[in-house]
C-alpha cells in the first residue's frame, strides 16, 4: 500500500463529478485540494504513475486540467490519491476560489444548524453530568452545550450481524452500479467535449459582414510541376540532389512545384519497384556544381542526398 502525504486540505464535492484520465479512462472524484485529489473506481497499475487529469468543478465553476502522479492507494485498490505535478496558475486560482466558497457555505450551514434551542455558548472545559432519571446527559465542551439522549447499550445479536452483512452486500452492488454509471456518463461526456473542441470558432459579426460584402475572388491556380524527366539537361548524365521519396504522386508533384517557386530545377521520377516518387534537383554535370544548390536546400531546411544520375 502506498502512503499518503498531504500538504493541503481536501474538500469533497457535494455532487458526483467525473474525472477523465489520459483522455481514455473515467472515474469519480472523491475529494480535491490545491495539492491533489482522490478518485474512486480506479486502481493504479504501479506507484508513481503519471496521468493527465481533467474534471469540472461543481455548479459550473470551471474545468481543471493538470498533470498528476499517483501517491497512494487504499488497501482495496478502489480509491487512489494523486499529487498535482503541473497545475497552471489560472486553474489553481479557480480551484482555490471554489474551495473557499464551498467551505464558507458549509460553515454557514453548520452554524445555522447549531443555532438551535438545544445549543448555548459556554467557555468552560468538558463537563459530564447525568440527570437523576438517567435518561439524558449534558456535555459541555469548549464552546457548546448539547443535550444528548442517553440510550441503553444493546447487545449485538445474530439479527444485527445479518443486517450488517446485508448492508455490505448492498454497498458492493451500489459500487458496481456507480462504476457502470460513471463509465456511460463519462463516455457521452467525452463524446460531447470532443464535438465541442472540433467545432471551429465562429467569426465575428464585422468579419462576417466584410466577407459577405467583398466580391468573391477567382481561385488562385496552383502551379503544376514539369512532367517527369522534362527538366533541362535531364537527358544527360551527372548528379542530382534527392530531396524526398514519396508514395503519393500528387504530394511529390506539389513539392516539386514549391521548389520551382524557389528557383530550384526540380523534377519527379519513378524507376524502382518500391513505387516511390522521388523529388530531385538537377542534374548537375559535377559534384562541385551541385554543392551550391546543396547549401541553398539546407538553408530551406531540406536534407538533400547527392546521387549519380543517368537518363536511363
Amino acid at each position: 500500500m502506498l502512503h499518503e502525504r498531504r500538504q493541503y486540505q481536501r474538500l469533497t464535492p457535494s455532487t458526483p463529478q467525473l474525472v477523465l484520465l489520459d483522455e481514455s479512462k473515467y472515474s469519480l472524484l472523491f475529494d480535491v485540494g490545491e495539492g491533489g485529489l482522490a478518485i474512486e473506481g480506479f486502481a493504479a497499475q504501479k506507484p508513481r504513475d503519471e496521468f493527465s487529469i481533467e474534471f469540472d468543478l461543481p455548479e459550473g465553476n470551471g474545468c481543471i486540467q493538470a498533470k498528476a502522479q499517483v501517491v497512494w492507494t487504499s488497501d482495496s485498490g478502489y480509491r487512489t490519491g494523486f499529487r498535482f505535478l503541473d497545475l497552471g496558475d489560472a486553474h489553481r486560482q479557480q480551484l482555490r476560489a471554489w474551495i473557499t466558497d464551498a467551505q464558507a457555505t458549509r460553515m454557514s450551514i453548520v452554524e445555522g444548524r447549531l443555532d438551535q434551542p438545544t445549543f448555548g455558548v459556554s467557555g468552560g472545559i468538558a463537563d459530564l453530568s447525568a440527570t437523576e432519571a438517567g435518561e439524558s446527559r449534558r456535555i459541555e465542551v469548549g464552546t457548546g452545550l448539547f443535550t444528548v439522549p442517553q440510550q441503553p447499550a444493546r447487545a449485538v445479536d445474530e439479527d444485527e450481524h445479518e443486517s450488517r452483512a446485508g448492508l455490505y452486500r448492498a454497498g458492493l452492488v451500489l459500487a458496481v452500479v456507480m462504476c457502470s454509471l460513471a463509465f456511460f456518463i463519462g463516455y457521452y461526456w467525452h463524446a460531447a467535449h470532443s464535438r465541442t473542441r472540433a467545432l471551429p470558432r465562429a467569426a465575428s459579426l464585422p468579419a462576417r459582414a466584410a466577407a459577405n460584402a467583398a466580391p468573391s475572388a477567382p481561385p488562385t491556380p496552383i502551379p503544376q510541376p514539369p512532367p517527369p524527366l522534362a527538366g533541362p539537361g535531364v537527358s544527360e548524365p551527372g548528379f542530382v540532389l534527392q530531396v524526398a521519396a514519396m508514395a503519393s504522386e500528387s504530394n511529390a508533384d506539389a513539392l516539386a512545384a514549391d521548389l520551382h517557386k524557389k528557383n530550384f530545377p526540380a523534377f519527379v521520377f519513378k524507376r524502382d519497384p518500391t513505387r516511390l516518387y522521388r523529388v530531385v534537383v538537377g542534374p548537375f554535370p559535377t559534384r562541385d556544381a551541385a554543392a551550391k544548390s546543396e547549401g541553398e536546400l539546407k538553408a530551406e531546411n531540406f536534407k538533400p542526398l547527392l546521387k549519380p544520375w543517368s537518363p536511363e
Side-chain angles (χ1 to χ4, degrees):
M1 180 184 70
L2 300 177
H3 298 284
E4 175 190 10
R5 296 182 179 179
R6 293 182 180 172
Q7 297 179 347
Y8 299 93
Q9 182 180 2
R10 299 272 181 94
L11 187 66
T12 302
S14 57
T15 57
Q17 299 295 326
L18 286 176
V19 179
L20 176 62
L21 295 91
D22 286 345
E23 298 186 355
S24 60
K25 308 177 186 68
Y26 292 92
S27 185
L28 289 176
L29 179 64
F30 177 73
D31 59 21
V32 64
E34 291 187 45
L37 76 162
I39 61 176
E40 292 184 332
F42 172 79
Q45 298 298 323
K46 57 183 179 179
R48 305 301 177 187
D49 274 352
E50 295 183 5
F51 296 88
S52 60
I53 290 181
E54 180 178 347
F55 61 93
D56 291 329
L57 293 174
E59 301 175 359
N61 285 284
C63 179
I64 303 300
Q65 298 177 347
K67 192 78 172 180
Q69 183 183 50
V70 175
V71 292
W72 62 266
T73 56
S74 62
D75 292 333
S76 63
Y78 183 72
R79 186 174 299 167
T80 306
F82 292 84
R83 174 171 56 89
F84 289 138
L85 297 178
D86 184 10
L87 180 62
D89 293 338
H91 291 166
R92 186 179 298 276
Q93 291 176 3
Q94 278 183 325
L95 186 58
R96 184 180 302 165
W98 171 76
I99 292 175
T100 302
D101 293 343
Q103 287 178 336
T105 302
R106 296 183 184 183
M107 285 300 298
S108 63
I109 294 175
V110 172
E111 291 174 359
R113 289 179 178 175
L114 295 180
D115 190 13
Q116 302 293 335
T118 56
F119 173 77
V121 177
S122 173
I125 61 173
D127 178 29
L128 221 69
S129 61
T131 62
E132 295 180 357
E135 296 178 353
S136 65
R137 61 180 178 176
R138 183 179 62 187
I139 305 175
E140 184 182 350
V141 182
T143 61
L145 180 65
F146 299 87
T147 302
V148 182
Q150 180 71 25
Q151 297 180 354
R154 60 186 180 87
V156 179
D157 52 11
E158 295 181 358
D159 293 338
E160 185 172 355
H161 282 293
E162 184 66 25
S163 176
R164 290 181 179 177
L167 289 176
Y168 177 75
R169 289 192 294 269
L172 289 178
V173 173
L174 180 60
V176 173
V177 172
M178 290 297 293
C179 289
S180 301
L181 182 61
F183 172 78
F184 286 109
I185 294 177
Y187 175 81
Y188 289 108
W189 178 78
H190 180 64
H193 274 237
S194 300
R195 289 194 298 268
T196 303
R197 292 173 181 173
L199 291 176
R201 294 185 176 178
S204 60
L205 291 178
R208 290 181 182 176
N212 294 332
S216 58
T220 304
I222 301 175
Q224 298 295 328
L229 304 180
V234 171
S235 60
E236 298 178 2
F239 296 90
V240 294
L241 296 169
Q242 180 175 313
V243 177
M246 301 180 176
S248 172
E249 183 179 7
S250 59
N251 292 342
D253 290 340
L255 178 59
D258 185 61
L259 290 170
H260 268 279
K261 291 181 181 179
K262 299 177 181 179
N263 297 324
F264 289 106
F267 62 93
V268 180
F269 73 94
K270 183 182 74 169
R271 291 179 181 173
D272 50 43
T274 59
R275 299 183 180 180
L276 294 177
Y277 295 89
R278 304 182 184 275
V279 183
V280 297
V281 174
F284 303 95
T286 62
R287 294 175 180 268
D288 294 337
K292 179 180 178 181
S293 294
E294 183 179 7
E296 293 175 351
L297 288 170
K298 289 181 179 179
E300 295 290 338
N301 296 323
F302 291 102
K303 296 180 179 180
L305 298 176
L306 183 64
K307 291 188 174 183
W309 167 254
S310 176
E312 297 182 357

